[in-house]
Each structure stands twice: as structure tokens, then as C-alpha cells.
Amino acid sequence: MNLFRRIMCRLGNHRRLDVIQSFGAAEHIGCPDCGRELAIHHGVRTVIPWDGELAQMYRDFGHDVDAANAKWRAYRARVCS
């Protein structure tokens, strides 16, 4: 990734975002360029960083977030290498 893309990602202006997993009105998204993971809720129009507490909350709701994360990270490794 070139310096310009790194700066733009650092400022939050990601070129593209992949949907890692969808939870109805909420989604777990990630930038394949910088690897940052976010959570977005479309109803409230909120974007927050994806962290362990959020992952645990969705695990408690019965979602398999670990498999989705592993699949996306493998995809990112192939694309960014």
C-alpha cells in the first residue's frame, strides 16, 4: 500500500470496505488495505471500532464471529500480499 493510501486510511477515508458479517441492521466491516475493523449500525448511523467486547456481545447473541473473522483475514492476506 502506498503512502497516500496509508494516510487516507489513517484519516478514516478508506478506499473500500468489505462486509465481514451482517447482523440485520448492523454489520461488521473491514478495510482490506489497512486491516482496520469497524462495526456499523445503519439505523442509528453509527460507526465504531470493532473490539473484543463487541465481538463477545455478538457471540452471546449466537453469531459465529470467529469464523467470519478468520475467513476475512485469510482473504485480506491473499489480496494484500
Side-chain angles (χ1 to χ4, degrees):
M1 185 165 70
N2 64 23
L3 179 62
F4 178 73
R5 287 299 333 143
R6 283 187 213 153
I7 293 170
M8 294 307 288
C9 280
R10 187 74 144 168
L11 295 173
N13 188 7
H14 303 279
R15 180 176 63 176
R16 59 191 172 140
L17 291 169
D18 296 332
V19 175
I20 299 171
Q21 193 169 14
S22 185
F23 310 105
E27 291 178 335
H28 177 194
I29 58 177
C31 176
D33 295 326
C34 67
R36 187 166 182 200
E37 296 180 40
L38 306 161
I40 183 170
H41 191 280
H42 297 289
V44 198
R45 296 183 183 176
T46 304
V47 177
I48 59 173
W50 182 266
D51 61 0
E53 291 179 11
L54 204 53
Q56 186 58 47
M57 181 183 77
Y58 282 107
R59 278 188 206 100
D60 292 344
F61 289 149
H63 296 284
D64 186 10
V65 296
D66 298 318
N69 280 347
K71 184 177 177 182
W72 182 73
R73 289 182 182 133
Y75 159 76
R76 182 176 175 265
R78 283 191 315 270
V79 170
C80 294
S81 59

